[in-house]
Structures are given as structure tokens and as C-alpha cells.
Amino acid sequence: MIVIMLTVSMGCINVDGFAAHAEPLKKVAIIIDDLGNGMKGTQEIMNLPAKVNVAIMPFLPTTKKDAELAHQKGIDVLVHMPMEPHRGRREWLGPGAITSDLSDEEVRKRVEAAIDNVPHAIGMNNHMGSKITTDRRIMSIVLDVCKERGLFFVDSKTDHKSVVAELAVQKGLPPVENHIFLDDHHSISHITGQMRLAEQKLETQDTCVMIGHVGTQGHLTAGVIRDSINRWSGQIETMSISEMVKQVWQWTPESTLPTSNK
């Protein structure tokens, strides 16, 4: 007589000591913005024992250094493209920003230059940008350049009227959107609460995209991510944004123009 022992624990079924997941693990992609200027928390984020993704601003003192280190560690790199917001000073944007007064030609030129300035970039997201992500003319050009260079675009969703997802679908790009800002308030309690919110979202959806930042709150964000990873063991796993794009939207790049950022 053959006896098969079944036990269920943490979403897994154990058959005679062999574990198989009864259900796929929920997946989280965590993007950390604002690298490139030697910001606080950069090392803590890079050294996390989990898959994270970094969005690096172009044309800043540590842009290339941060991108090279991330690539060495197997971390996905995105271009953190400065874009004009509805409110705020332009000097907050940084060099090479996309503003609403630019011509089509200048928008294209700046996006191409930013991609070339951030080594190993596989995608792009917006830094600020509430005004630009609602502008069909400009975002159409931005997405065209991304597609030509083999990059996808992650909409940070700084404005609920953003047209990025709609345009991305029209152009054959994945409509990737941020679901939760982790550290829009700089406290451990708030960041922890945002992580809990992600867990709640994953009760009804399979994936979640979250955005945090280096800078003043960088070490706090890194610490909360580390604690959450330990709590998620066997239930939720972190993944690279490029893996999520492939799994959820079955998208792979079809670059038609050479890129010098690899």
C-alpha cells in the first residue's frame, strides 16, 4: 500500500516531502526613483536581499556610476526622465527635462540623449511629470522613442488623467502603471502602511507595482522593504520590472534603432 501524505502550509502542498505551490506566488515590482545624484539610501537599496529596480536621473554626477553598479548586481535600470509638473519650480526637474513648450524635434532629442546617458537602461519612468503625462503630443513622441530603442515606459501616475497607458497600448507597448507610492510621507509608520496596502491589493490582483525613493527617506524605505520581504516569505515575491512586463503583457523589445546605452 502506498501512502501519500499531503500537508498544506503557506500556499504550498507538500507531497512526501516535496513542495509544490498550490497557487502562483503574488508578485511585486518595487522601483526606487531619484538615483544619480549620490542620494542617501542608495547603497542600502542596492544591497537589499531581494529584487528591486532603480530609476536613475540622467546627466547627474553619479548617473553612470549608479547604473553600472546596479547592472553588476543584476538590478533593472530605468531612465528617470524629468518631466514638467502642473505645479513646482523648473529647477527641481534637473537637466534635460521635458517641458510643454518644447518642439517635437526637441522632445525627441532630449529623450534620446537621456537614454544614451543612462547605461543599461531597459525602461523609462517619469520624474514628476503630472503636466507632461497628460499631454498626448509629447507623450506620443516619448513612447515612440522608447519603442524604437527597445524600452518600455512605466507611468508613475503622478496625475490620474495620464494618457500614457492608452497611448502605450496603441503603440504596442505594455501599459505599465505605478499602483502605490511607498514614501510620499517620510515616516516608517507611513511606509509600512503603504506596504500593507500593497498586501491588500494583492488579495484581488496578482501583481503590484510600487515606487519608493532614495534621498531623505531612502534608508527608511530600504529598512521597511527588508522587513516586508521577511514577512512575505512563501506568499509574495519581489521581481524585476522587466520580468513582470514579460509575464503579464508577454512583451519583448523590438528595437529598430541602435542604442549606445548598453
Side-chain angles (χ1 to χ4, degrees):
M1 179 175 66
I2 300 174
V3 179
I4 300 178
M5 299 297 294
L6 297 177
T7 60
V8 179
S9 175
M10 298 292 287
C12 299
I13 299 177
N14 294 310
V15 182
D16 280 346
F18 294 94
H21 286 292
E23 299 177 358
L25 291 178
K26 302 289 186 170
K27 305 292 180 65
V28 168
I30 302 173
I31 300 170
I32 303 299
D33 285 354
D34 294 348
L35 283 83
N37 203 27
M39 303 293 277
K40 293 180 180 178
T42 297
Q43 288 298 324
E44 289 91 335
I45 290 296
M46 294 277 199
N47 292 329
L48 282 169
K51 288 186 178 180
V52 293
N53 310 268
V54 293
I56 302 175
M57 295 185 69
F59 314 116
L60 292 180
T62 65
T63 295
K64 295 185 183 298
K65 174 185 174 183
D66 291 347
E68 292 292 351
L69 179 59
H71 182 66
Q72 291 171 14
K73 290 178 172 289
I75 297 171
D76 274 2
V77 172
L78 297 101
V79 179
H80 195 37
M81 190 74 215
M83 294 181 169
E84 183 182 356
H86 287 299
R87 292 179 296 277
R89 299 176 182 175
R90 285 197 176 187
E91 55 263 33
W92 295 347
L93 288 171
I98 303 298
T99 54
S100 56
D101 58 347
L102 297 179
S103 67
D104 291 6
E105 181 181 1
E106 184 63 22
V107 171
R108 170 174 282 275
K109 179 181 176 181
R110 292 192 181 195
V111 176
E112 290 177 339
I115 293 172
D116 288 339
N117 191 251
V118 181
H120 311 293
I122 50 85
M124 177 180 290
N125 73 345
N126 51 294
H127 171 64
M128 302 176 73
S130 55
K131 186 173 185 178
I132 299 303
T133 56
T134 62
D135 188 312
R136 289 181 177 275
R137 175 184 72 90
I138 294 179
M139 283 311 308
S140 183
I141 299 167
V142 172
L143 294 179
D144 282 346
V145 175
C146 285
K147 185 173 183 178
E148 290 165 3
R149 294 299 188 95
L151 277 64
F152 54 89
F153 192 97
V154 180
D155 183 4
S156 301
K157 290 293 283 187
T158 53
D159 192 297
H160 71 282
K161 295 181 181 179
S162 171
V163 298
V164 174
E166 177 188 347
L167 289 175
V169 170
Q170 292 175 8
K171 295 175 182 296
L173 290 168
V176 195
E177 295 182 337
N178 172 43
H179 297 117
I180 297 172
F181 279 109
L182 286 175
D183 45 18
D184 44 335
H185 297 287
H186 303 171
S187 71
I188 292 176
S189 60
H190 177 76
I191 301 168
T192 300
Q194 294 299 88
M195 280 293 195
R196 295 288 188 183
L197 179 59
E199 294 168 17
Q200 293 174 19
K201 283 185 175 293
L202 288 171
E203 292 176 2
T204 57
Q205 60 192 56
D206 293 330
T207 61
C208 183
V209 178
M210 296 185 286
I211 291 180
H213 302 79
V214 292
T216 304
Q217 73 282 16
H219 69 288
L220 301 179
T221 299
V224 173
I225 292 173
R226 185 181 293 104
D227 293 343
S228 298
I229 291 166
N230 293 332
R231 188 173 68 251
W232 291 347
S233 179
Q235 300 174 4
I236 301 170
E237 70 176 0
T238 58
M239 69 187 312
S240 68
I241 191 68
S242 60
E243 289 174 331
M244 183 175 286
V245 164
K246 290 176 183 177
Q247 290 186 19
V248 175
W249 291 280
Q250 291 79 52
W251 185 86
T252 54
E254 297 178 0
S255 59
T256 57
L257 293 178
T259 178
S260 61
N261 73 338
K262 299 296 185 277

